[in-house]
Amino acid sequence: MYIRTTVAQLNSTLGDFEGNMKKIISAIEIAENNNSEFLIFPELFLTGYPPEDLILRTSFLKKNIEYLEKIINFSRGKNVIILLGFIDIEDDAYNSLAVIRDGKLLGKYHKMHLPNYSVFDENRYFKSGNEIVIINYNNIKIGINICEDIWSPLGPMFYQAINGAQLILNASASPYFHGKRELRKNYLSKKSYDHHCPIVYCNMVGGQDEVVFDGGSVVTSSDGKIIFEGKPFEEEIFTIDIPIEDNLRTNLHDPRRRYINIVNDKPINYIFVKSENINKLKPINYKNKNYTLTKEEEIFRAITLGLKDYIQKNGFKKVLIGLSGGMDSSLVAAIAVEALGNKNVVGILMPSMYSSSHSIEDAKKLAENLEIEYHIIKISDIYYSFKNSLKDIFKGTSEDITEENLQARIRGTLLMAVSNKFGYIVLATGNKSEIATGYSTLYGDMVGGFSPIKDIYKTDVYKIARWYNKFKGKEIIPENVFIKPPSAELRPDQKDQDTLPPYEILDEILKMYIEKELSVDEIINKGFDKDTVKYVAKLVDRNEYKRRQGVIGVKVSERSFGKDRRMPITNKYREW
């Protein structure tokens, strides 16, 4: 005996009810043609996720219900049971799953565990549900729940399992960070084994502002094996037969569930559904694929997807990048070409009197290798004009970082001028090491509408760039970019490490201080130089004001700047 289920791992656009509905209808047709018994969509697929403060607008909530009714009407004559994420409105707003079949809303499930950490703020917007839902389908018990519900040790799945659930269907919008895919697979495998219950985990795919959903939906068996895995970072609709009798067989051979003595204190709502089509079809033959990606490829694909969706969903066509001949702008340009095509990427070279000849040549060679349009605008005359305008007020002072930042701000102004004139969006090229330490200029190299690599440390930027050249099978990013010392080239013979520790040391300290929240003393005790650690911590703490004004970019780490890490700017707490 098996349950045939179609998983719609799709990319939802926030607020695009019409576009999302078209995808929903197409998936319903596919599921119906495949004689599926169940069709599951990702969490809040109808609205898009996360809706944030749109949830506070009653017009948005009403529009969501209006389109839910359209989909219910479309389902007339359809046998498949549809599980669709939407926002229910009763006494409050609920993150919900609608159970739809043959023109009827059979029932609803309200998410019980509302995450309020990392990028999540669900307690701000939703009321928690308090009722377990089990679909009794031809006397087969199927539990349904939403994303975080399945991650809780004593969440709905636990109660569904002890009440005889033989299958769990979970609608999810699980954001990506590096390592999350393996963590998710391992957790779901263990969860299904512990409860002797197969799981269908349908995950969203696509970018929404700084968050990327990586897809990779998972189907497990009752003994904890992964029997199918959806494609990472791609839309996919697949249909699979989930064996049900294996659930009983596993329980008989490993009867741990008999000894659970916890009293079920949760109300259970049973939705009863009868079908004549159960198990009258020849089982689907499928072969599971193991999507193993290197760290570099996984992060590159996440950023590419995040950039592509941000540009396209916001109605832009072309991006503009300041090409310096350095590694950061080179990698951003490569990502942009992969995401949008070379016809939609424009580079601007803005050499100054301090720009080395090799940097200009490296930037030109990169643009030619990527086959993108590029232009050269020299900034020396503009710089001297600015200095001349400031000479009276600067009288009696010596040149310092002010004159360096002036060059960066001239470049930012030129990029924004081209952006305004042609409607291109500027991509900022700062990496996480620079953004963490404030090694960047407000209204200069920080300008832009999106920052693709803002959550990637400098050492990883080099590794990803090296992977990219290998992936392309030829030199796209010039070899000289890899071997020359990193430099902002804002003064003669300037090197990044005149100001910063070597990136190999800096990045390790930053990971511990930012992502692990280790104290200065704890980092020093791990063998790092005391003065270096204090200096790095001081840079991080003092530059929160810059990060607060910085542009958003793709989250790829467990703790990115922005929603993940919310430090006050004004505070007196110091460890340095």
Side-chain angles (χ1 to χ4, degrees), residues 342-381:
N342 60 352
K343 301 297 184 187
N344 296 312
V345 181
V346 179
I348 304 289
L349 287 67
M350 295 168 284
S352 74
M353 51 282 168
Y354 300 127
S355 297
S356 59
S357 59
H358 61 74
S359 290
I360 300 168
E361 290 306 311
D362 289 340
K364 289 169 64 177
K365 187 176 180 182
L366 171 80
E368 290 163 2
N369 290 347
L370 290 170
E371 298 181 355
I372 64 174
E373 174 187 345
Y374 72 93
H375 305 272
I376 300 176
I377 306 173
K378 295 181 180 180
I379 71 165
S380 298
D381 289 346

Side-chain angles (χ1 to χ4, degrees), residues 37-38 79-81 99-101 106-107 134-140 142 270-276 278:
E37 295 159 285
F38 284 85
N79 288 315
V80 63
I81 300 168
V99 183
I100 303 165
R101 184 174 186 248
L106 303 180
I134 294 176
I135 299 174
N136 188 311
Y137 177 71
N138 287 8
N139 295 321
I140 298 170
I142 299 171
Y270 285 96
I271 300 173
F272 291 88
V273 186
K274 287 289 183 182
S275 175
E276 302 298 325
I278 190 167

Side-chain angles (χ1 to χ4, degrees), residues 75-88:
S75 73
R76 292 186 190 282
K78 305 291 192 293
N79 288 315
V80 63
I81 300 168
I82 302 159
L83 303 179
L84 178 62
F86 78 109
I87 300 174
D88 194 23

Side-chain angles (χ1 to χ4, degrees), residues 34 139 177 188 252 270 295 298 380 538 551:
N34 288 340
N139 295 321
F177 59 77
L188 292 171
L252 292 172
Y270 285 96
K295 177 182 178 181
E298 187 176 288
S380 298
K538 182 177 181 179
V551 63

